[in-house]
């Protein structure tokens, strides 16, 4: 019955800037502070063997070992990699009694990060974002409990504005390898745990486009882009601008109320003589959503996918998929995947 405590609602994954020129140049997000790198770490085979109260402000964890984030503990000298298919991963250690999991064997990683907040984030609303943690974790900042989350391959974010301080801060995270959600995430893959994706602080305005969803429709001589959105706080004036691949402005629009749906606002953008996306010519337009204090950027491919008589079509052309069941995995880094690794996998498959 508990999947999270104090975790803010899920939203679309997008990049945001303070001005449009930054967005069009795809610069690094200016109001984001990365926490990747070396953290202090303690390993225990189960929760009863972990260090009690390690998260308290007066605790000094600096003598602990170092571990890299993002990363898996099993690929950095702790616990062991495990592959299972049809059996649950703790079968043989503890009875299989959903929703209970093994208590005797449930590896625990205690992480601590010491940091000073970037000047650009001071006196602003700050969110702490975990892009992926396997599988359940508790969070404290400066000794204050922030929250809990369980869902491995999705984002978990917390509002930490009130618990940050001037000077040195301490972020403490306790990660469990198994939880009741493991029954739902169980499938044939390697089992590895830890903070395996990016961790960062980010600032966003009080009133802002929070969640949006884009769909495309291909018509005879034009394409239709529909953008639906919801706001955090109150709705604010929002301008949408569409650029082609050379950053030439194609069209602009504003959000209108969209009563009676999940999303509160909607905009429709028409594209005459569109360049359609396909796998060999992946043409992308750039969409910019601009509000006071923030600019969101996204890339859009104009395509239409359908199935007719058991045949899959992209923009009216019949295609077949060829691929591998890869689970975002690498033989050296596990689920920690970078852009170059993605490119290498795609190139190998195409070759």
């Amino acid at each position: 019955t508990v999947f999270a405590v104090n975790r803010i609602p899920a939203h679309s994954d997008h990049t945001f800037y303070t001005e449009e020129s930054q967005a069009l140049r795809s610069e690094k997000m200016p109001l984001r502070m990365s926490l990747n790198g070396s953290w202090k770490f303690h390993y225990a085979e189960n929760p009863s063997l972990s260090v009690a109260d390690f998260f308290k402000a007066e605790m000094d964890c600096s003598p602990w070992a170092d571990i890299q984030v993002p990363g898996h503990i099993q690929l950095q000298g702790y616990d062991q990699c495990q592959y299972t298919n049809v059996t649950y991963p703790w079968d043989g250690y503890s009875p299989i009694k959903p929703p209970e999991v093994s208590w005797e064997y449930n590896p625990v990683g205690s992480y601590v990060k010491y940091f000073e907040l970037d000047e650009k984030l001071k006196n602003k609303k700050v969110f702490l974002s975990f892009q992926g943690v396997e599988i359940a974790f508790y969070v404290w900042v400066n000794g204050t409990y922030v929250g809990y989350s369980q869902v491995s391959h999705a984002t978990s974010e917390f509002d930490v504005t009130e618990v940050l301080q001037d000077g040195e801060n301490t972020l403490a995270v306790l990660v469990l390898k198994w939880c009741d959600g493991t029954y739902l995430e169980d499938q044939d893959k390697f089992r590895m745990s830890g903070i395996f994706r990016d961790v960062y602080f980010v600032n966003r305005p009080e009133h802002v486009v929070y969640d949006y969803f884009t769909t495309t429709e291909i018509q005879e001589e034009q394409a239709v882009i529909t953008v639906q959105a919801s706001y955090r706080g109150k709705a604010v004036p929002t301008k949408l601008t569409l650029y082609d691949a050379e950053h030439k402005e194609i069209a602009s629009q504003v959000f209108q109320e969209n009563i009676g749906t999940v999303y509160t606002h909607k905009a429709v953008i028409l594209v005459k003589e569109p360049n359609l996306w396909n796998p060999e010519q992946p043409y992308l337009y750039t969409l910019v959503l601009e509000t006071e204090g923030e600019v969101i950027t996204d890339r859009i491919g104009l395509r239409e996918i359908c199935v007719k008589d058991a045949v899959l079509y992209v923009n009216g052309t019949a295609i077949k998929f060829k691929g591998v069941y890869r689970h975002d995995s690498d033989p050296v880094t596990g689920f920690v995947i970078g852009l170059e690794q993605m490119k290498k996998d795609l190139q190998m498959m195409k070759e």
Side-chain angles (χ1 to χ4, degrees):
T1 57
V2 178
F3 302 100
V5 177
N6 296 335
R7 188 177 70 196
I8 65 175
H11 58 85
S12 49
D13 182 25
H14 45 262
T15 53
F16 31 86
Y17 303 86
T18 55
E19 56 187 62
E20 188 180 62
S21 60
Q22 297 171 333
L24 293 177
R25 291 195 302 267
S26 298
E27 295 181 0
K28 289 185 177 180
M29 289 165 43
L31 295 180
R32 187 165 94 171
M33 172 184 167
S34 175
L35 293 168
N36 292 352
S38 181
W39 292 47
K40 292 298 177 181
F41 182 77
H42 178 273
Y43 171 77
E45 192 170 279
N46 60 54
S48 64
L49 299 176
S50 62
V51 178
D53 299 336
F54 80 100
F55 53 84
K56 288 189 174 179
E58 61 269 21
M59 290 287 288
D60 179 15
C61 300
S62 58
W64 285 8
D66 294 321
I67 198 168
Q68 287 297 308
V69 171
H72 294 288
I73 69 171
Q74 289 78 10
L75 299 177
Q76 299 187 68
Y78 305 93
D79 190 36
Q80 59 189 1
C81 294
Q82 179 190 22
Y83 177 88
T84 61
N85 185 2
V86 297
T87 59
Y88 284 108
W90 56 87
D91 191 18
Y93 294 96
S94 302
I96 305 300
K97 297 193 304 181
E100 297 177 17
V101 296
S102 171
W103 194 255
E104 178 183 349
Y105 170 60
N106 191 354
V108 176
S110 299
Y111 293 78
V112 174
K113 180 73 170 180
Y114 298 104
F115 65 93
E116 289 194 10
L117 194 65
D118 284 356
E119 289 292 332
K120 61 189 178 185
L121 293 178
K122 289 184 178 179
N123 302 315
K124 290 183 169 68
K125 196 169 188 67
V126 178
F127 297 94
L128 172 60
S129 181
F130 293 87
Q131 295 293 293
V133 181
E134 181 97 14
I135 182 173
F137 65 105
Y138 299 81
V139 183
W140 298 263
V141 174
N142 295 325
T144 300
Y145 176 59
V146 169
Y148 167 84
S149 181
Q150 61 179 69
V151 53
S152 296
H153 293 257
T155 300
S156 299
E157 293 181 332
F158 305 91
D159 186 345
V160 294
T161 307
E162 301 301 322
V163 293
L164 294 170
Q165 63 190 24
D166 289 335
E168 186 177 78
N169 290 262
T170 304
L171 169 60
V173 183
L174 185 140
V175 180
L176 297 169
K177 187 174 184 179
W178 315 125
C179 73
D180 54 359
T182 305
Y183 283 101
L184 302 179
E185 294 198 13
D186 189 63
Q187 50 191 294
D188 52 329
K189 65 173 185 177
F190 275 101
R191 310 309 168 96
M192 294 176 284
S193 58
I195 305 173
F196 68 94
R197 287 183 180 162
D198 293 341
V199 184
Y200 55 82
F201 290 123
V202 68
N203 162 251
R204 302 191 67 192
E206 183 177 359
H207 306 293
V208 71
V209 174
Y210 186 72
D211 186 29
Y212 71 92
F213 187 72
T214 303
T215 56
T216 62
E217 178 186 355
I218 310 301
Q219 299 178 351
E220 286 189 4
E221 296 182 354
Q222 67 178 11
V224 180
I225 300 173
T226 302
V227 186
Q228 300 183 80
S230 296
Y231 291 85
R232 189 185 71 225
K234 66 180 181 181
V236 292
T238 306
K239 179 184 177 183
L240 296 85
T241 307
L242 186 72
Y243 296 90
D244 65 15
E246 287 73 43
H247 290 168
K248 177 184 176 182
E249 183 175 330
I250 299 299
S252 64
Q253 193 55 269
V254 295
F255 276 134
Q256 305 292 335
E257 280 196 81
N258 193 27
I259 299 173
T261 66
V262 174
Y263 293 97
T264 60
H265 288 72
K266 182 173 78 170
V268 177
I269 301 173
L270 301 181
V271 183
K272 303 294 184 181
E273 299 179 355
N275 289 298
L276 301 186
W277 182 100
N278 67 63
E280 303 308 324
Q281 295 175 314
Y283 191 98
L284 293 176
Y285 291 83
T286 297
L287 177 67
V288 174
L289 295 81
E290 185 174 2
T291 59
E292 184 178 358
E294 181 176 273
V295 177
I296 294 172
T297 183
D298 203 350
R299 292 188 292 178
I300 295 177
L302 299 178
R303 68 180 186 187
E304 201 164 70
I305 300 175
C306 68
V307 176
K308 184 178 180 181
D309 298 328
V311 177
L312 186 67
Y313 293 88
V314 174
N315 299 335
T317 300
I319 68 164
K320 291 183 178 181
F321 279 124
K322 295 182 181 180
V324 294
Y325 184 44
R326 63 186 293 273
H327 255 303
D328 266 356
S329 60
D330 181 276
V332 176
T333 61
F335 304 150
V336 183
I337 302 294
L339 181 59
E340 292 307 313
Q341 290 161 294
M342 296 181 197
K343 288 181 177 179
K344 181 181 178 181
D345 274 4
L346 287 169
Q347 181 176 342
M348 288 170 60
M349 284 190 280
K350 285 182 175 292
E351 288 175 346

